[in-house]
Amino acid sequence: MNRSPKRNENDLLGLMQPQMQETVQKVLGDIPAYRSKQIYHWLYAKRAQHFSEMTQLPAALRSQLERHFTIGKIKLVTKSVSADGTIKFLFELSDGFQIESVLIPSEMRDAKGEARRKTLCLSTQVGCPLDCKFCATASMKLKRNLTAAEIILQYFEVERLTGERITNIVYMGMGEPMLNYDNVIRSLRILTDPELEIIGAKRITVSTSGLPDEIRKFAHEKLGVKLALSLHATTDELRSKLMPINRAHPIKELLSAMDEYYKETGIPVTYEYILFEGLNDSDTDARRLAKIARRLPSKVNVIPFHRIDFTNPQGFGAELHPASDENFNRFNTVLKSEGVQVMVRSSSGEDIEAACGQLALSQIPHPVAIEI
C-alpha cells in the first residue's frame, strides 16, 4: 500500500545526513561534506526553521539554500488542554489534511511539582485503514501516510509551542506505523541519531496492531526502540471481531513474530490490552493473557476503554462498554498473581477526546491530489 504524497524534492527536512549531502550537492555542486553536516545539525539539533538562522554557514551558501530548498512545516490549528494537564494538538499539513498529537504528563512529580516524564503520542498516518472497532481513528479511514518530516515535525512543534522538553515518544497516535514503514524508520533513525542528541532510543515505543512480516523486519533495523503489540484479546474469535486484521494474521502468527523480535533484539516487549465489559475481562482471559506474557520478557499495559460515541460507531463497535471497576481491578490482580508485570494506563485527556483510542477529526478537509 502506497498512500504517501509526492514528496517535495526541494525539502531538506526528513532527509538523513547522507541523503542531505547528495541532495544539496546535486543542486549546488561539490560543497564540502562538513557543510552538509552543518546543515543537518542546524535542521534537527538546533531546529532551524529558516536557512538564514544557520549562522555557521557562509552568507553566500545560506542565500543559495534559500533560493533552491525549503524546510518543511506543519501548522497548529487548535490546542485543547485537559484538566489533568494533557494537551491535544491539531496540526494542518501542507496539503490541507489534518492530524492530532497528544502530550501526556506523567502522574509522577518532582520536588517542584513538575511531571517527571512528558510523553508525546505521535501520528504516522492521516486516518487508519485497519477498522479496529474500539478506535475513533477508524472512522476517518485512511487518507494518506505521513512523510518522515511530518512525523518529526510533530515532536519539534510541540516542544516549540510548549517550551517543554519531551522525555518520551510513543508512535501510538493516528495510523498503523508498520503500514508506513519506510517513513517511520527514517524518522526513528533521525530522532535517535546520537550525533543529534534529540532523544534516546530507549525512550521511544512503536505500537503495532500486528503485521508479522514488518515486525520481523523491524527487529533487524537495530534501532534499539521498544515495541508494543496491541493485543486486546486472547482468542482469535474475539480479536477478529475487535480487530479485523486478525483474520489475516491470527494470534499464533503474531506471537511467533514477537518471539523472533525478542530473540533478535533482546528488548522486552509490551502487550497492550483494553478491557471490555463481559468480553475479555474474565479470570480465564487474564490467565490466558498471562500465559502469552510469560513466553518472553514482557509487560502488559492494561488500558481502560474510552468511549468513542462521538464517532457514531455501528455494529459490534456500538456494543463495546468499559469493564466495571470491580472486573478491571480483579483482572489486574489475577495477572499479577500469575507473575506478570502490569502497568495500568491512565485515562489522561479523556475530557478532550485525547485518551487512548479517541483520536479522530470531526471534519476532513478536501486536500490537493496525492500520488497513490
Side-chain angles (χ1 to χ4, degrees), residues 76-350:
L76 178 69
V77 179
T78 60
K79 181 177 76 171
S80 304
V81 182
S82 167
D84 60 35
T86 299
I87 306 174
K88 181 170 72 172
F89 302 85
L90 175 63
F91 290 116
E92 184 170 291
L93 310 177
S94 60
D95 58 7
F97 277 127
Q98 296 177 345
I99 55 169
E100 290 178 333
S101 315
V102 181
L103 181 62
I104 310 164
S106 73
E107 296 175 358
M108 297 182 295
R109 303 282 163 165
D110 61 20
K112 296 181 180 179
E114 294 290 326
R116 292 183 181 178
R117 297 202 316 176
K118 292 184 173 67
T119 301
L120 181 62
C121 184
L122 292 176
S123 292
T124 57
Q125 295 180 304
V126 182
C128 184
L130 296 186
D131 196 27
C132 297
K133 303 307 179 183
F134 50 83
C135 182
T137 310
S139 66
M140 296 172 58
K141 307 302 182 184
L142 177 64
K143 306 306 175 185
R144 69 166 174 85
N145 288 332
L146 299 187
T147 64
E150 289 166 339
I151 296 171
I152 293 167
L153 279 167
Q154 294 171 70
Y155 180 96
F156 288 179
E157 279 299 293
V158 171
E159 277 207 337
R160 186 180 68 83
L161 290 165
T162 63
E164 297 181 355
R165 179 176 172 271
I166 294 166
T167 63
N168 295 75
I169 295 175
V170 290
Y171 282 62
M172 296 182 188
M174 293 178 169
E176 165 54 57
M178 296 298 179
L179 289 178
N180 188 13
Y181 191 88
D182 291 343
N183 286 315
V184 165
I185 295 300
R186 188 182 301 168
S187 71
L188 287 168
R189 292 202 186 283
I190 291 169
L191 288 171
T192 61
D193 185 339
E195 291 189 14
L196 298 173
E197 297 182 338
I198 296 174
I199 191 168
K202 293 180 179 180
R203 293 182 175 272
I204 299 178
T205 299
V206 176
S207 176
T208 179
S209 298
L211 283 81
D213 289 345
E214 283 75 9
I215 289 172
R216 294 185 180 95
K217 186 178 178 182
F218 193 70
H220 292 274
E221 297 288 353
K222 307 297 183 184
L223 288 163
V225 303
K226 299 174 184 176
L227 181 66
L229 174 66
S230 294
L231 188 61
H232 309 312
T234 56
T235 67
D236 284 322
E237 181 182 4
L238 177 57
R239 194 169 191 269
S240 293
K241 289 181 179 179
L242 291 168
M243 308 173 70
I245 191 176
N246 193 74
R247 297 167 192 161
H249 303 296
I251 293 173
K252 183 178 179 180
E253 185 182 351
L254 285 182
L255 297 184
S256 176
M258 295 298 281
D259 290 345
E260 290 186 37
Y261 175 85
Y262 177 74
K263 182 179 179 180
E264 178 66 29
T265 66
I267 302 173
V269 304
T270 298
Y271 297 104
E272 297 169 324
Y273 197 91
I274 297 175
L275 281 174
F276 303 100
E277 183 70 27
L279 288 178
N280 66 349
D281 60 347
S282 70
D283 291 2
T284 300
D285 289 306
R287 293 190 181 97
R288 282 197 296 253
L289 179 57
K291 185 178 180 180
I292 290 171
R294 290 195 300 263
R295 288 169 65 105
L296 47 85
S298 68
K299 68 177 179 180
V300 174
N301 276 1
V302 181
I303 307 170
F305 172 53
H306 303 113
R307 293 185 179 276
I308 57 170
D309 297 345
F310 58 93
T311 67
N312 298 313
Q314 304 295 315
F316 187 64
E319 301 172 13
L320 300 176
H321 301 283
S324 66
D325 290 344
E326 179 183 356
N327 285 359
F328 192 96
N329 293 331
R330 190 185 69 249
F331 189 92
N332 290 330
T333 298
V334 173
L335 277 182
K336 291 174 183 177
S337 73
E338 294 282 332
V340 176
Q341 182 183 354
V342 178
M343 300 290 291
V344 177
R345 184 86 64 81
S346 72
S347 296
S348 299
E350 188 172 12

Side-chain angles (χ1 to χ4, degrees), residues 11-52:
D11 186 2
L12 296 186
L13 202 68
L15 297 180
M16 296 177 63
Q17 206 270 322
Q19 298 170 311
M20 191 171 296
Q21 180 174 338
E22 180 182 349
T23 299
V24 172
Q25 288 188 339
K26 184 177 179 180
V27 175
L28 301 186
D30 191 21
I31 67 168
Y34 76 90
R35 290 299 188 195
S36 63
K37 191 171 184 179
Q38 287 175 331
I39 297 168
Y40 179 74
H41 273 258
W42 272 101
L43 282 177
Y44 299 120
K46 298 187 178 182
R47 321 285 169 84
Q49 294 183 298
H50 304 280
F51 294 110
S52 59

